[in-house]
Amino acid sequence: MMDDFLRTNLRRVIRRHQQVGLWRKLSVCWSAAALAGMGLLYLTARGDGAPAYVLPLLIVAALATSIVIAIRHYRATPDYRWIAQKIEKQHPELGGVLITAVQQHFDSPNGIGYFQFRLLQEAVARSQESDWRKIIPRSHLVLAHGAHLAAMVLLALVLWQAQPGVVVGGGWFSPADSSVAVTPGDTSIEKGESLVVLARFARELPASVTLVVRGTPSGPSSIPLVKSLADPVFGGSVATVETDFFYHLEYAGGRTRDYKVTVFEHPRLERADVGLVYPAYTDLPERRIEDTRRVTAVEGTQLDLALQLNKPVESAVLVGRDADKTRIPLIVDSRRAVATLADHPLVASQTYDLQLVDADGRANKRAIPFVIEVQPNRPPELRIVSPRGDVRPSALEELGFSGTVWDDFGSPVFGLGYTLAGQETEFLELGRDLPGRERRSFDHLLHLEDLGVQPEQLISWFLWADDIGPDGEMRRTMSDLYFAEVRPFDEIFRESQQQGGDQQQGGQQSGGQQQELVDLQKQIISATWRLQRNPNVPSYTEDVSTVRDSQAQALQQAKAGQAEAFDPPSQALWAAVTQEMEKALAQLQLAPTSPRPLGPALAAEQAAYQALLRMAPRDTNVTRRQGGGGGGGGQQANQRQLEQLDLRQAENRYETQRQAAPPQSPERREEMQVMNRLQELARRQQDFNERLRELQTALQEARTEQEREELRRQLLRLQEEQRQMLADVDELQQRMDREENQSRMSEQRDRLEQTREDLQRAAEAAAEGSVAQ
């Protein structure tokens, strides 16, 4: 075994030799990386540059190679025999002693012999006489280290050359010409826009300037710039920018550095697909509508929205145009250009704007509207054809009822309800299993004699139909309340022997106050019925207060009539009227907080109304009016009897001064004309609403473009008719000054405005052509 002292001296020589070898290998590694980088820069200068990630990969490869070289270098086993030969070659005086000592193997179990011991002693003594490290000159170490540093500096310069602040021109690593100001320089531009480049020279102007564009799919291109008339400015443009690219300017004596143009896009909606899951009660299958931004569906429908965008976004929100700016966030994926909304319940109609924001904070340039039209689950439509309004049959007659029933999603059962004053309401079933969107007619004959009605008894009746409401529960819809006043058998109509307006006016004045009270009580009953039928209206409390005040007014009139009655029968009837009115008023005072008292109030109101009917006179004088027909106090309800009355009085075609009624004043005549026109407008409005509902139903069921085109033409005609009705109301409003008539015309105009809005929505849906059922 060699002596440790000899081994240490030899390792010092080996370490210096290893350092020289390491610096040389690393210098070769860095030099190769620098040369490769210079080649990439050369190609870039020619416009044939490699992708941007090639140079970073080259640097990573060089670093990895240097690490591997260093690890392998330090892990190498020292070769003592080779270094001993190098030392013997430089020091011949050793005479082979060092090589012999290094080559000895001492495997004897008895240790080393005397000869071996003397050989090691001599080798150690010779190692102390001179420094064997000098066999590798220090200059070799310095040169190797210098070459390593030079290679690293060269690589650093190449990396610096790759930065935008340095260009290749007139020699390696020449700085950019600072005398040229390039606008816009490094910039970002929206895809599809044009790029305008301006070059302003602070020194002598060159004869020509060229814009060189590289990095585009079509390859490098040159665009000559045009000089401004008087300014030291050259300008040119790239017509359409589609991808990222580099550009620089070339001119006599130099060129600018490379500028980078980055292309961006604002988020944009490409396509919107809608899925609709209808409520179970509609029995409608699920539906998918592709590429649409307008949806019409019944309330309670579940909406699925799938948006395809031009790029991934960070957020997508539907913002309502209502006052609260309702926000509905959508689910987005940062890796995919999609946004979704699942199982969103449709509650109310709304128009939303889609707001998109990408990862760079850019929003969509234009508002993207989404129109969601939510159709309510309409209650059944009950139309009464006969009888038209209130009637006055006898106790032996038969009442014939006819009409139609319609519902958007079908009615399981519908029928007729009637109530005898003071008794429970009876419900008659007239039909079952009405399909959705089908109008069904009905006819029914009600035998009053079988009901055991008595003269002067009040019968109220209405139509009813059941359907399934938006909450999935059964609901019942009832029509307006109508009255049948059973007339007495001994009712007499007498022909007056006198003609003329005085007799007619006298007949109208008799019993006028009592007739006004009857009409007021009937209006109170109808109003209470409407409140009981629909207690969820926003104005419920105010409407109940109005009905309560009207009942209090009727009670005061009844008490005044009771005070003027002298015969016992009349006093008894007036007492019954006031007693029932007091009951109704007591219930109405409790109704503002709850609709439950409306039922007992309605029963008391009908009982009071029936008592008023019993006080009506049974002997009526009628005369033939100048225009034909009979006249008299309260004769409208008895029109059928009057038409059957054969008046013996011949029509007098002439009037004497005594017979002539006093002419009406111009103001009164104008007022009557206005009121007649207003009533006509109300009837036209009702017919108009029915036609609009029918067109909306047909529009939902339309499947072909021809059907939708025909419906659009009908909607245009309705729009023209609606505008004419509004113009008529405005004209009447200008002609009328009385406050109560102004109120009625304002109410009529409000109804027309609401119809105009419904008509406008229907026209938009028809124009869109993508209405969901």
Side-chain angles (χ1 to χ4, degrees), residues 96-130:
V97 174
L98 184 58
I99 294 177
T100 303
V102 171
Q103 292 179 346
Q104 293 297 316
H105 296 279
F106 307 102
D107 299 330
S108 174
N110 298 326
I112 62 176
Y114 174 76
F115 174 74
Q116 295 169 335
F117 177 75
R118 290 292 298 168
L119 182 61
L120 288 175
Q121 275 188 335
E122 186 176 355
V124 170
R126 293 292 182 90
S127 67
Q128 294 177 348
E129 292 177 359
S130 61

Side-chain angles (χ1 to χ4, degrees), residues 316-366:
V317 181
L318 291 174
V319 181
R321 294 184 180 178
D322 54 349
D324 298 333
K325 299 295 182 182
T326 306
R327 299 176 65 87
I328 304 177
L330 278 66
I331 301 174
V332 298
D333 189 342
S334 59
R335 296 170 298 179
R336 300 175 56 205
V338 296
T340 58
L341 177 66
D343 299 332
H344 177 71
L346 299 182
V347 179
S349 299
Q350 180 66 276
T351 299
Y352 296 93
D353 289 328
L354 177 62
Q355 293 184 357
L356 304 172
V357 179
D358 61 12
D360 297 324
R362 297 188 182 94
N364 47 307
K365 297 178 63 176
R366 291 178 294 274

Side-chain angles (χ1 to χ4, degrees), residues 749-770:
R749 184 176 180 84
D750 291 341
R751 289 197 297 267
L752 286 171
E753 289 290 347
Q754 181 62 40
T755 305
R756 183 183 64 81
E757 296 176 1
D758 296 340
L759 184 61
Q760 183 66 26
R761 286 195 295 267
E764 292 176 356
E768 184 70 18
S770 60

Side-chain angles (χ1 to χ4, degrees), residues 56-69:
L57 287 179
L58 179 62
I59 302 303
V60 172
L63 290 175
T65 304
S66 64
I67 293 173
V68 172
I69 291 173

Side-chain angles (χ1 to χ4, degrees), residues 311-470:
K311 59 187 296 189
V313 296
E314 288 294 318
S315 67
V317 181
L318 291 174
V319 181
R321 294 184 180 178
D322 54 349
D324 298 333
K325 299 295 182 182
T326 306
R327 299 176 65 87
I328 304 177
L330 278 66
I331 301 174
V332 298
D333 189 342
S334 59
R335 296 170 298 179
R336 300 175 56 205
V338 296
T340 58
L341 177 66
D343 299 332
H344 177 71
L346 299 182
V347 179
S349 299
Q350 180 66 276
T351 299
Y352 296 93
D353 289 328
L354 177 62
Q355 293 184 357
L356 304 172
V357 179
D358 61 12
D360 297 324
R362 297 188 182 94
N364 47 307
K365 297 178 63 176
R366 291 178 294 274
I368 306 172
F370 278 83
V371 180
I372 299 179
E373 186 76 18
V374 179
Q375 293 182 343
N377 181 1
R378 295 161 57 181
E381 293 183 5
L382 307 173
R383 180 181 297 181
I384 301 174
V385 177
S386 175
R388 301 288 292 183
D390 300 337
V391 293
R392 298 187 74 248
S394 69
L396 301 179
E397 287 189 29
E398 299 171 344
L399 288 180
F401 296 93
S402 63
T404 59
V405 179
W406 180 93
D407 188 62
D408 46 3
F409 299 108
S411 173
V413 60
F414 61 91
L416 172 71
Y418 66 90
T419 305
L420 300 178
Q423 299 182 17
E424 295 292 332
T425 302
E426 296 290 338
F427 292 89
L428 302 179
E429 181 179 319
L430 300 182
R432 278 186 169 273
D433 301 327
L434 172 66
R437 305 185 184 282
E438 177 182 312
R439 190 175 300 277
R440 180 178 294 180
S441 301
F442 66 87
D443 292 284
H444 182 74
L445 200 62
L446 186 63
H447 300 271
L448 300 185
E449 185 178 6
D450 295 341
L451 299 179
V453 298
Q454 300 297 323
E456 298 178 341
Q457 191 171 8
L458 177 66
I459 304 174
S460 58
W461 57 273
F462 57 89
L463 296 180
W464 59 269
D466 293 342
D467 73 330
I468 300 178

Side-chain angles (χ1 to χ4, degrees), residues 677 726-736 745:
R677 289 190 61 185
L726 281 175
D728 293 343
V729 172
D730 292 338
E731 179 185 355
L732 293 178
Q733 198 164 9
Q734 294 176 359
R735 294 171 56 184
M736 181 57 61
M745 281 184 288

Side-chain angles (χ1 to χ4, degrees), residues 588-629:
L588 290 174
Q589 290 175 348
L590 302 176
T593 58
S594 172
R596 296 183 63 181
L598 292 177
L602 182 63
E605 292 166 0
Q606 291 178 339
Y609 183 72
Q610 180 172 269
L612 286 173
L613 293 179
R614 292 175 178 174
M615 290 188 294
R618 300 184 180 183
D619 194 343
T620 305
N621 292 330
V622 296
T623 60
R624 183 185 298 274
R625 293 176 180 172
Q626 186 66 25

